[in-house]
Amino acid sequence: MTLLVLSSFAVALTLLGFFVSVPLFKRLTILGLSLALLSLLFTWGKPFAFGPYQVDGISQVFTLLALLGALWTVGLVRTRRFEFYLLVLYAALGMHLLASTKNLILMLVALEALSLPLYALATWRRGEGLEAALKYFLLGALAAAFFLYGTALHYGATGSLLAGTPGEGPLYALALGLLLVGLGFKVALAPFHFWTPDVYQGSPTPVVLFMATGVKAAAFAALLRVVGPGALDALALLIALSVLLGNLAALGQKEAKRLLAYSSIAHAGYMALALYTGNLQALGFYLLTYVLATGLAFAVLSEISPDRVPLERVKGLFHQDPLLGLGLFVSSLSLLGLPPLAGFWGKYLVFSEAAKAGAWGLLVLALVTSAVSAYYYLALGLAVFQKGAAEAHPRPLARSVALGVALLLILLGLIPGAVLPALAAG
């Protein structure tokens, strides 16, 4: 049902784009994404399969997060061209496909379906964004080639194109490694993270919100299906590199979007740690809290500037606009993992599962680097209360959304059990 809604609206709006006004086109895009979200909720917990397309609990949870990111992006952006909204809709369709298949060929097609619109969205403002998008495109093409080669080797080793098919031998190990490289690029796991800081800094802020929320959710759904027992050692190495490089590199950043880019690399490592332990509920809850917190941070930054946002421009935001200032403050503390915010329970679940799995080395490294992240998260969050000349011209809806998401982060922190049963059902 969700696939039908997204594909129907994508085709219809492609034809209508030249005949309707841009504000109406934006409303129709929001309508399509909202109907897709409603169809997903109405069929929650009910599996469905049609050929290689398979809707299950994994698909539903991660599609939900991807659609929330798409809706947030469309609502935030201000543009006079309908193509922006259409590209977001096509990318959302690719994300749903990526989360809803075990077939490696369809997975590759879905990866390209979500990637090609993002390459165009990253260049929306030209200038520095053009260089960032070129880097994103070239590295993305290389990652797709790795994934395709891994698919071929996987078929040679197992005789199957289904992700998760058991196998053995060096050919199977090489296949899993190449598939891990291809998906590691999308989720920004180190050392496949080199595109992330430049693309986050050079792309329009609403596009970065989409990359940091929807893309990461869909890519982790695919990674969840691909990673098997034979890839756990390689995954452990990527986790260690991600939490180390992400947090240490963020310490010296003076630009907010670049800081959050390195932060996203570290969070990819923490999410991969949940994947390493095999607890899908912990991964789902962590990703939910991350999508809400990082989405809120980028939503606030987009009201300050659609381009670069030096930390100096954040100072004094609370005095200029209290709701936006509080929104950025709450999102920073949630990303840090301080109680009583939802981010605390996300990290608690992941770290406790790592302890139960006996992954003590990764657990200690994750705890230490999480403590290190307090330096830059507090610097970002407390900057809003400092004296400065922050300027923001938000719409009333932006303030309302910031307040609503901030309250939701607090509510999930106080009663996380309200969401966990739904994730378990999915």
Side-chain angles (χ1 to χ4, degrees):
M1 188 65 176
T2 305
L3 178 64
L4 180 62
V5 172
L6 287 173
S7 56
S8 299
F9 267 85
V11 173
L13 292 181
T14 301
L15 301 175
L16 286 175
F18 296 99
F19 304 104
V20 301
S21 65
V22 174
L24 177 59
F25 193 93
K26 179 177 180 177
R27 294 189 190 99
L28 290 173
T29 305
I30 293 175
L31 175 63
L33 291 170
S34 301
L35 288 176
L37 190 59
L38 286 175
S39 70
L40 180 70
L41 295 176
F42 283 140
T43 57
W44 194 263
K46 301 174 183 177
F48 170 79
F50 181 76
Y53 174 69
Q54 180 178 347
V55 175
D56 54 14
I58 295 173
S59 166
Q60 290 172 333
V61 170
F62 290 90
T63 298
L64 171 66
L65 299 175
L67 289 177
L68 287 176
L71 272 170
W72 210 341
T73 302
V74 172
L76 272 179
V77 76
R78 306 172 188 179
T79 181
R80 297 179 179 178
R81 298 182 62 180
F82 74 89
E83 293 90 347
F84 186 99
Y85 307 114
L86 188 60
L87 288 170
V88 173
L89 187 58
Y90 273 112
L93 175 59
M95 291 172 191
H96 175 58
L97 275 177
L98 183 61
S100 305
T101 184
K102 292 182 179 179
N103 186 285
L104 293 173
I105 296 296
L106 183 56
M107 206 175 281
L108 177 63
V109 173
L111 272 172
E112 292 306 298
L114 76 88
S115 297
L116 292 175
L118 286 173
Y119 300 148
L121 290 172
T123 64
W124 200 253
R125 290 186 174 271
R126 303 296 189 268
E128 184 182 353
L130 190 61
E131 179 185 349
L134 180 61
K135 180 181 293 187
Y136 189 33
F137 171 74
L138 292 176
L139 292 177
L142 184 62
F146 275 110
F147 191 90
L148 180 59
Y149 193 27
T151 299
L153 293 181
H154 186 277
Y155 183 77
T158 65
S160 172
L161 288 172
L162 292 180
T165 302
E168 56 184 12
L171 188 64
Y172 180 72
L174 180 59
L176 288 183
L178 292 174
L179 293 173
L180 194 58
V181 170
L183 293 174
F185 169 84
K186 285 300 174 189
V187 300
L189 280 170
F192 315 116
H193 68 286
F194 294 106
W195 62 274
T196 313
D198 292 336
V199 173
Y200 274 40
Q201 186 176 24
S203 301
T205 309
V207 176
V208 179
L209 185 154
F210 193 35
M211 292 178 181
T213 56
V215 176
K216 198 175 286 286
F220 259 105
L223 193 62
L224 183 60
R225 300 186 191 277
V226 167
V227 171
L232 290 182
D233 290 339
L235 184 63
L237 178 61
L238 299 187
I239 293 169
L241 288 174
S242 298
V243 298
L244 269 175
L245 292 176
N247 284 303
L248 294 179
L251 293 175
Q253 301 305 315
K254 302 299 180 184
E255 202 273 338
K257 287 164 65 177
R258 199 173 181 89
L259 184 152
L260 290 173
Y262 283 110
S263 157
S264 74
I265 297 167
H267 281 284
Y270 298 132
M271 293 176 213
L273 180 58
L275 184 59
Y276 180 86
T277 64
N279 190 297
L280 307 188
Q281 193 177 13
L283 174 60
F285 188 80
Y286 191 103
L287 193 52
L288 172 63
T289 62
Y290 172 78
V291 165
L292 292 174
T294 198
L296 177 57
F298 282 117
V300 172
L301 295 179
S302 71
E303 299 300 328
I304 298 174
S305 171
D307 298 308
R308 288 193 176 197
V309 187
L311 291 180
E312 291 296 323
R313 295 191 61 180
V314 176
K315 291 182 177 179
L317 180 61
F318 177 78
H319 306 292
Q320 202 266 340
D321 195 303
L323 285 181
L324 289 184
L326 284 175
L328 186 57
F329 178 68
V330 169
S331 67
S332 299
L333 295 189
S334 184
L335 288 169
L336 172 57
L338 287 184
L341 298 170
F344 167 77
W345 292 108
K347 286 190 174 180
Y348 173 80
L349 285 172
V350 172
F351 294 167
S352 61
E353 290 302 319
K356 291 177 184 177
W360 297 108
L362 290 176
L363 175 59
V364 170
L365 185 61
L367 287 169
V368 171
T369 53
S370 184
V372 169
S373 70
Y375 175 83
Y376 60 84
Y377 280 131
L378 290 177
L380 177 63
L382 294 176
V384 302
F385 301 107
Q386 299 175 7
K387 292 182 178 179
E391 292 185 9
H393 306 285
R395 294 158 290 178
L397 181 61
R399 292 192 181 96
S400 302
V401 171
L403 176 62
V405 176
L407 291 175
L408 184 57
L409 286 170
I410 296 172
L411 186 64
L412 286 176
L414 294 174
I415 47 171
V419 172
L420 290 174
L423 291 176

